[in-house]
Every structure is written in structure tokens, then in C-alpha cells.
Amino acid sequence: MHIPDGFLSTPVWAALDAAAAPVVGYVVRVAQRGFDEAKVPLLGVMGAFVFAAQMINFPVGIGTSGHLVGGALLACTLGPAAACVVMSAILAIQALVFQDGGILALGANVINMAILGVLAGYLPYHLWGRSRGRRAAIFAGGALSVAVSAVLALAELLISGVRMPAAVLGVSLALFLVSALIEGAITMTVIGALEAIQPNFVRQPAAGGRYALVAVGLAAVLLAAGGVVVASRAPDGIAQLAIQTGISGRARTLVSTPFKDYQASWLGAGWPAQAAAGLVGLALVGGVSVLIWRKR
Amino acid sequence: MHHVTLDQWSRGASVLHRRDPRVKIAAVLMFLVVLATAHRELAWLGAALFTVLCVAARQARLPLRGALARAGVVLPFTAVFAGVSWLAGDPARGAVLVMKSYLSALAVLLLVSTTPLPALLRGFEMTGAPRFLLMVAQFLYRYLFVISEEAQHMRKAALARGATVGGLAGNAARFRAAAGALAVLFARSYGRAEEIHRAMLARSFPGYFRPLIELHLHGGDVIFLVLGVVTPVALRVLIERAA
């Protein structure tokens, strides 16, 4: 989900731009260590591959089709840092040439999809990629990469004050879950096919160490799980802040709605129900992963 | 195709095309920030900024209608959220989302269709973005056309073999076939990248692109920079004062 300009409130886009700049700088340095500078065509061409991969449709039943998003696939083949760089380059080209995603929102999109999405997608493979549950880990990685980026984007929109009725929020979370499962299945099948062509396309995860990677990946998953819960309560927090700082008059049209006190009808009231919905989603991804594990 | 048209537009020779990419980047960033942080008198501000962009497009000798239509690529996404805001009882916010995202996209479109991408990325490099990332982006853009064409060929071949004919194969089999096609595309892209790398080494690639033209700020660029930065700010201040 590419956020265009004009959707995020100033504190959100400014903070995420400020966060993305050093993070991308760091990731580029790590990637350069693994790939000398002359190998830059590999990353560029693989970015073009991810673009082109969208043309190949995967049938997912009842007349619909999905396509590869690619974060987890790149992380398993090029390594997490290089995958972050490739995804950042893709987002930059999409924002500039295709007007898909904003320029001020580029920091947000990079953090959601190129950094946290990719690292969350690599986390299961890093942890269990050497065990018997390798295929399940790849599936979970693909699913997590899409789920984490989508939910983070949604949370940022909600924090920015974009209002969503509970039903719409529920439907979009359900859609995210479905597309996450599709991405998991696509990533797993494509990696299987790749290994049949040439096994060394897929990197073995480094044994042990890399605590920072595990920490960031875990943090991304937790952020996403907690994000919607916090965000769905946050607009009121922002309204409170606006009143305190005296800009409420100015921002009235942006943060107040006639339905201020409405309650989520079918999700139930308050955060426990929403948190439960998030946990059910995670459990579903986990359940399918376990099924794949068993099937081997 | 969208990017091919923009690429053709960016090869023009108007006053805007000749400006240094850095001053154009600065002007567009200022425009975006002024628009994104505005909360008052949005209808007037939107109309004024829209006029500025239309004048700029005319100056750049771009087909105005085509540019306005192409900036509309953001509208499907925005329309969904505008609809949702409307459902949540806040139609004004929906209208603001449409206006801000459309004008931002139009501004970026003007930047890209008056600056060839290599020059634009060079401009970003000189403003401090990591060179490695920009080189990856440049390669990505260069091979986007090549790899996409390869994917198109594979798609056509699959269609010719009856990939979409219902009943010929189950969903699971077609899913596996698509995965196989993607794996082949991956392997071919990887192989192509290695060939490119060898060709570059053979030509003693120094690890960075040597710019063909050095960027220099001329008098016209400075005037454009001042105009580009001051205009949106002045418009906003004037409109908010008048209200």
C-alpha cells in the first residue's frame, strides 16, 4: 500500500522521513559490504525483476488473481540488507516515475515496505531456515512482510486522523490478511521452483548471531500488531493535543467528526476486541505455517 | 505506457527543462511542504497552487490535458479513502485528501517530465542521497523496460499454451506454473545482471557513473529557485491573511 502525499499529518511524515534517512544510509552501507560496488547492476536488475513480476498473475480462486510483492523473496535470495536497498530503490522509482506513493511520504513507505516489511519477512527464515520447518518459515516470511507493511501503513493513516468506520477497518484488515497469505504461498512456491532450477540462488541463513536483525524484525511485528490498536485510539489523543496547544480551531475540520463517540459494532467495543482480532490474524498465519511444516 | 510518455516529455528544451535539477527538486519540495502543512482556506489555496502548476506546465510546453490526466493516477487510491471519510461523516476531509494528493502528484509529474531521470537522480545525489542507492535506482529504471518485455513474452507464451483456459488445469497446477515462470524470470534476470557486470568490468567501470555534464548553477537557475520557493509560500500567506 503506497501512501500518497496529502494523507499523512505533518508530524507523522516528518518523523518517518527523519527516521528513514539514517536507516537507509545504514542499510546501504551493510549491503555494500556484502556486494562490492561493481555488483550494483545485480541489485538494479533484480529490482526491475520485482516490477516485471507483477505482470505474472497467480490464480487464487473465484476469478481473482494475485501477484508477487517480493520483499521476502528478495531477502531470502539477496540477503536482508540488499533486499532493503532494492525495495527502497523500487519505492523511489515508483514515487518519481509512476506517481505511486508520495515524495514527502517516501520515508513512511520506505520504513513500512522496504525496511520493516523486508526484515519482518526475513525473520522467520533467519530463525527457522535451517530447521525442518524451512518451507513453513518461508511461507510465514512472505505473509509477515505483507501483513506488517500493510498494517503499519494503516496505523500511520489512522494516527494522521484519516477516519475509518469500524466495519471498513475490519474489512481492510481481513483483506490484508488474505493478501498476506497469498504472498506467503507465492513466495514459498517460487522459492521451491528456484531451488529446483539452481539451489544456490537461495541463501542459507547465517548461523547464530545477528541479534540486531532479530530485534528489529521482532519489533516490526510487534509494532504492526499493536499499531492498529494504538492508532484507532490515537485520533482522540491528537485532538486532545490540538486543544491543549490551541490549534483546535484551526484543525477542527480535520480532527472532529459528528460520530466521535461511535463504537465498533461488530468488532465489539474498545481495544480488547481489536487486539484479539489482531491475534487471530497472527494465529491464522501461524496455523497455516504449521500445516505446511507437518505436510513435509 | 505512463513512464515512456514521461520519458519522452522530459527530453524537451523549454525554460523549465533547462533548469538545474537541484533547483527544481528544491522548488517541488517547498511546494509539497506548503501544501501538506496547510489547514486553512484550502479551497482557495488549492485553486491558486493548481493555477501555478498549470502555468508551469504551459511554460514547459507539456500537453496540459495529458499532464492533468496522468496526475490522476493517484485518484483511484485517494477516492477509496475519500469515500471512507465520507462514510465516517467527514466529507470535507475526503475532499482535502483528493485535492492534496492530486496537486502533489501533479507537482512531482511536472518535475519528472521536465527532467530526464539520470539528471534527476544526479540532482538527488548532490543533495546528499546515498550514491549506491541512486545507482541501483538508475539500473532498475534502465532494465525495467528490458525485464518487463521479457515478462510480457512469457505471459504471451503462457496464454498461447492455454494458461487461462478453464478446466484445462486446476488452480493449484496453474499456480505452480506461474511460480515456475517467475522462477525462470528470476534466473534469467540474475544471469543478465551477471553479463552486464562482466561487460562493465571489461570497460573498466570505476564503481560510479561518470557524469557527462557537470551541474552548474546559472543566473536563470537562481531566479527560478527564488521564484519556486517564494511563490507557494507567498500565496499561502496572502490567502490565509485575506481570510
Side-chain angles (χ1 to χ4, degrees):
Chain A
M1 189 154 89
H2 298 63
I3 305 174
D5 278 333
F7 275 68
L8 296 178
S9 61
T10 308
V12 174
W13 64 253
L16 289 170
D17 280 343
V23 170
V24 169
Y26 175 74
V27 168
V28 164
R29 286 215 349 239
V30 175
Q32 263 177 305
R33 242 181 275 151
F35 292 83
D36 60 85
E37 204 149 349
K39 278 239 171 173
V40 65
L42 178 65
L43 302 195
V45 174
M46 294 329 282
F49 158 78
V50 170
F51 255 102
Q54 297 178 2
M55 288 179 191
I56 293 181
N57 291 323
F58 284 77
V60 289
I62 25 175
T64 51
S65 61
H67 65 76
L68 178 80
V69 179
L73 178 70
L74 286 182
C76 294
T77 49
L78 302 176
C84 290
V85 173
V86 175
M87 292 302 279
S88 304
I90 291 175
L91 290 171
I93 290 288
Q94 281 177 326
L96 284 173
V97 184
F98 296 88
Q99 280 79 53
D100 195 4
I103 296 291
L104 295 180
L106 188 58
N109 287 327
V110 163
I111 292 276
N112 295 343
M113 285 184 271
I115 307 291
L116 295 184
V118 166
L119 293 182
Y122 188 67
L123 181 67
Y125 187 65
H126 179 71
L127 293 177
W128 299 296
R130 289 168 163 271
S131 69
R132 266 181 55 235
R134 189 162 175 277
R135 272 164 61 81
I138 294 171
F139 172 85
L144 270 184
S145 71
V146 165
V148 163
S149 352
V151 171
L152 282 176
L154 188 64
E156 285 154 14
L157 290 174
L158 290 174
I159 291 176
S160 296
V162 174
R163 285 282 174 169
M164 254 184 217
V168 176
L169 194 63
V171 169
S172 33
L173 284 175
L175 283 178
F176 289 163
L177 187 62
V178 171
S179 37
L181 293 174
I182 292 173
E183 173 76 2
I186 293 178
T187 307
M188 186 180 76
T189 327
V190 171
I191 286 193
L194 262 181
E195 285 181 323
I197 296 177
Q198 197 175 329
N200 59 7
F201 271 141
V202 185
R203 291 189 161 206
Q204 290 302 319
R210 322 268 308 254
Y211 294 113
L213 192 149
V214 174
V216 175
L218 266 180
V221 176
L222 288 178
L223 255 180
V228 169
V229 177
V230 175
S232 57
R233 293 151 58 83
D236 297 331
I238 289 176
Q240 201 68 39
L241 191 74
I243 291 162
Q244 280 166 7
T245 52
I247 57 165
S248 59
R250 205 184 282 186
R252 172 149 295 164
T253 52
L254 293 176
V255 289
S256 75
T257 79
F259 292 151
K260 203 160 186 173
D261 297 321
Y262 77 100
Q263 292 285 337
S265 52
W266 63 275
L267 259 178
W271 64 271
Q274 289 165 6
L279 285 178
V280 168
L282 276 179
L284 197 56
V285 172
V288 178
S289 301
V290 168
L291 275 181
I292 294 167
W293 192 328
R294 287 273 170 80
K295 216 178 138 189
R296 255 176 67 99
Chain B
M1 281 158 97
H2 186 69
H3 54 287
V4 179
T5 313
L6 294 194
D7 204 76
Q8 283 165 352
W9 286 357
S10 71
R11 316 267 162 195
S14 74
V15 186
L16 272 175
H17 284 90
R18 288 199 305 270
R19 295 284 69 83
D20 188 295
R22 288 168 293 180
V23 298
K24 285 189 265 189
I25 292 171
V28 166
L29 283 182
M30 183 50 98
F31 181 96
L32 293 178
V33 169
V34 165
L35 182 62
T37 53
H39 295 300
R40 293 167 55 200
E41 306 302 325
L42 287 174
W44 289 110
L45 184 69
L49 292 180
F50 179 71
T51 315
V52 170
L53 290 180
C54 288
V55 170
R58 275 258 155 239
Q59 286 297 316
R61 299 198 203 111
L62 298 177
L64 188 58
R65 242 191 246 164
L68 294 182
R70 279 179 189 282
V73 292
V74 290
L75 289 181
F77 182 90
T78 312
V80 171
F81 279 89
V84 168
S85 292
W86 188 60
L87 277 181
D90 199 355
R93 183 168 178 92
V96 169
L97 287 182
V98 171
M99 188 273 276
K100 284 190 173 182
S101 60
Y102 181 76
L103 286 182
S104 305
L106 187 58
V108 176
L109 185 103
L110 275 184
L111 171 69
V112 178
S113 48
T114 54
T115 323
L117 199 78
L120 189 63
L121 293 178
R122 175 117 179 94
F124 276 112
E125 184 183 332
M126 296 184 76
T127 52
R131 174 193 277 173
F132 185 77
L133 178 68
L134 294 173
M135 277 169 49
V136 170
Q138 196 157 335
F139 263 101
L140 195 164
Y141 185 68
R142 165 67 182 82
Y143 286 95
L144 182 62
F145 302 87
V146 181
I147 309 286
S148 295
E149 199 148 293
E150 189 134 24
Q152 288 280 18
H153 289 170
M154 292 173 72
R155 211 172 102 96
K156 263 191 201 142
L159 289 179
R161 290 193 298 265
T164 53
V165 179
L168 207 61
N171 258 347
R174 287 195 287 157
F175 193 94
R176 273 198 300 277
L182 214 50
V184 170
L185 186 65
F186 183 100
R188 283 188 191 167
S189 310
Y190 207 99
R192 191 185 286 274
E194 283 181 340
E195 282 170 22
I196 297 165
H197 177 210
R198 277 196 292 271
M200 285 164 62
L201 286 185
R203 291 178 198 135
S204 67
F205 178 62
Y208 57 90
F209 295 126
R210 289 194 195 88
L212 289 177
I213 312 155
E214 281 299 324
L215 295 181
H216 292 293
L217 283 183
H218 298 291
D221 296 323
V222 177
I223 296 172
F224 179 84
L225 180 65
V226 173
L227 270 180
V229 169
V230 168
T231 311
V233 178
L235 280 175
R236 182 171 160 189
V237 170
L238 280 178
I239 288 171
E240 289 185 357
R241 281 268 169 84

